Amino acid sequence: MRMTKIFVAAAAATALSAGAAAAQSTLENVKSKGQLQCGVSTGLAGFSQTDDQGRWEGFDVDYCRAVAAAIFGDPDKVAFTPTTAKERFTALQSGEIDILSRNTTWTLSRDVQLGFEFMGVSYYDGQGFMIRSDMGIDSAKDLDGASVCIQTGTTTELNLADYFRTNNMSFEPVTIDTSDQAREAYEAGRCDVYTTDASGLAAQRSSMADPSAHKILPEIISKEPLGPLVRHGDNNWGDIGRWVLNAMITAEELGVNSENVDDMKANTENPEVRRLLGTEGEMGAMLGLPNEFGYNVVKMVGNYAEVFERNVGVETPLGLERGLNAQWTDGGILYSPPYR
């Protein structure tokens, strides 16, 4: 009987220990590790790739660096885990990564059925088609019977099937695991067409030996709101990720950038700028972050425009216009809730 009590007590202690570990918030866990673990792609020019020194860079990478800046005051306190389209959700669900920032489309099933929380839209995109220029085709409506390279485990597969069925066309799918493999298969002639998000097509074309030999057709066949995501169950962690993204968007809207942020912090009388930079109010404290977290994000990583233009803008090999990703005040739909 006594032995039974010992086993029961030990089991209860184990359960309490497990419960305490489970109760630790993601923010506390990240702080205890001393770094953020961020899931990115296996390599997509302009969005997440390694440079010649093996350092990760890109639009999606900079978002995670901004989160690290908000938490630690140091954008380099982040480690990157490359994931394929099939692996990315398992990595997030299992806790291997804290945030997934990897050209991922916000959909109902991913948000609800898979148990994720999207923290906003960082890039408004849509699915397109790339072909060889010498094919003499100017419209996706002329692709009946074409072989098409697509990544498995993506919304691309479903959109492709819907588009061809709606237009009474047939296609031969050539399924590939990673975006680089899809590009290589397309370049090797294993398929006539490469389809993915239009930004991804621009990224892959920029990596080809002769980008001018390939063209992106004008049709955009889907809505692809891309953004970072976390697991359900820790609302504060989702709020942190959301308001880091909003800080970057708000900073651009208010004219605050990495070059003028010190002057703005010291001299502005604009109440929203003051709240953003932590000189007024308790915005950071509401999130469990330093009140200057917005200042750190802008100073150390940049506002939304700086991150966009540095990685994927018109002066980069991708050459992407802002388009829908322009501020709402400039004809786009990029919009942050108020900082108040």
Side-chain angles (χ1 to χ4, degrees):
M1 186 69 173
R2 185 178 178 186
M3 188 64 71
T4 300
K5 288 181 179 179
I6 292 173
F7 281 134
V8 170
T14 301
L16 285 171
S17 176
Q24 185 180 44
S25 72
T26 308
L27 177 59
E28 291 170 333
N29 185 43
V30 168
K31 285 182 175 179
S32 68
K33 291 187 299 185
Q35 66 178 13
L36 174 73
Q37 197 72 39
C38 175
V40 292
S41 76
T42 53
L44 184 64
F47 287 89
S48 52
Q49 63 182 0
T50 53
D51 62 15
D52 293 340
Q53 285 73 47
R55 177 181 168 87
W56 283 95
E57 61 182 9
F59 182 87
D60 291 335
V61 167
D62 276 349
Y63 168 76
C64 285
R65 296 182 69 247
V67 175
I71 296 170
F72 297 108
D74 184 347
D76 293 325
K77 287 193 173 182
V78 52
F80 296 96
T81 300
T83 63
T84 67
K86 289 193 296 185
E87 297 167 341
R88 55 184 164 171
F89 298 136
T90 302
L92 183 58
Q93 288 167 329
S94 69
E96 180 184 351
I97 58 177
D98 305 307
I99 286 178
L100 180 63
S101 181
R102 184 203 178 283
N103 55 300
T104 299
T105 302
W106 187 352
T107 70
L108 186 151
S109 60
R110 290 172 175 176
D111 198 342
V112 178
Q113 187 177 37
L114 295 184
F116 296 135
E117 179 180 353
F118 283 79
M119 296 172 290
V121 179
S122 58
Y123 192 97
Y124 290 94
D125 211 342
Q127 184 173 335
F129 299 95
M130 181 163 62
I131 63 169
R132 295 167 186 79
S133 301
D134 61 12
M135 286 179 66
I137 291 176
D138 296 315
S139 170
K141 298 288 181 64
D142 297 325
L143 295 176
D144 190 20
S147 56
V148 184
C149 283
I150 51 175
Q151 273 186 270
T152 56
T154 65
T155 56
T156 305
E157 289 182 284
L158 305 177
N159 295 335
L160 181 66
D162 287 349
Y163 181 77
F164 273 73
R165 183 174 65 181
T166 299
N167 288 283
N168 297 313
M169 299 190 301
S170 64
F171 70 97
E172 177 187 343
V174 179
T175 56
I176 310 292
D177 282 339
T178 71
S179 57
D180 281 346
Q181 289 171 349
R183 184 195 71 237
E184 290 164 4
Y186 165 76
E187 285 192 284
R190 289 181 54 195
C191 57
D192 305 311
V193 184
Y194 180 22
T195 185
T196 188
D197 300 337
S199 63
L201 294 177
Q204 295 295 6
R205 184 172 63 175
S206 73
S207 301
M208 293 178 179
D210 182 8
S212 66
H214 309 271
K215 69 178 181 180
I216 299 172
L217 296 175
E219 287 86 356
I220 298 295
I221 68 169
S222 69
K223 294 181 295 184
E224 304 294 331
L226 309 179
L229 55 152
V230 295
R231 293 177 293 280
H232 273 178
D234 188 340
N235 292 343
N236 178 246
W237 185 240
D239 289 340
I240 289 170
R242 181 175 301 107
W243 284 99
V244 167
L245 176 59
N246 287 336
M248 299 165 77
I249 296 171
T250 298
E252 181 192 3
E253 179 185 347
L254 298 176
V256 184
N257 58 49
S258 60
E259 295 184 358
N260 68 16
V261 66
D262 288 315
D263 178 65
M264 296 286 274
K265 184 179 182 182
N267 299 308
T268 186
E269 295 299 325
N270 183 312
E272 190 163 19
V273 173
R274 290 175 61 82
R275 289 191 292 270
L276 171 68
L277 301 182
T279 58
E280 183 174 309
E282 298 291 330
M283 304 297 111
M286 295 179 189
L287 296 165
L289 297 177
N291 278 329
E292 66 272 16
F293 84 93
Y295 165 84
N296 288 337
V297 167
V298 178
K299 177 69 175 180
M300 298 175 183
V301 181
N303 67 22
Y304 183 91
E306 291 177 285
V307 171
F308 186 100
E309 297 301 338
R310 176 167 65 236
N311 293 297
V312 301
V314 293
E315 299 299 324
T316 71
L318 274 70
L320 296 175
E321 302 280 353
R322 287 289 293 269
L324 292 177
N325 295 294
Q327 289 278 342
W328 65 285
T329 51
D330 294 326
I333 59 175
L334 196 68
Y335 191 108
S336 167
Y339 251 80
R340 63 180 319 111

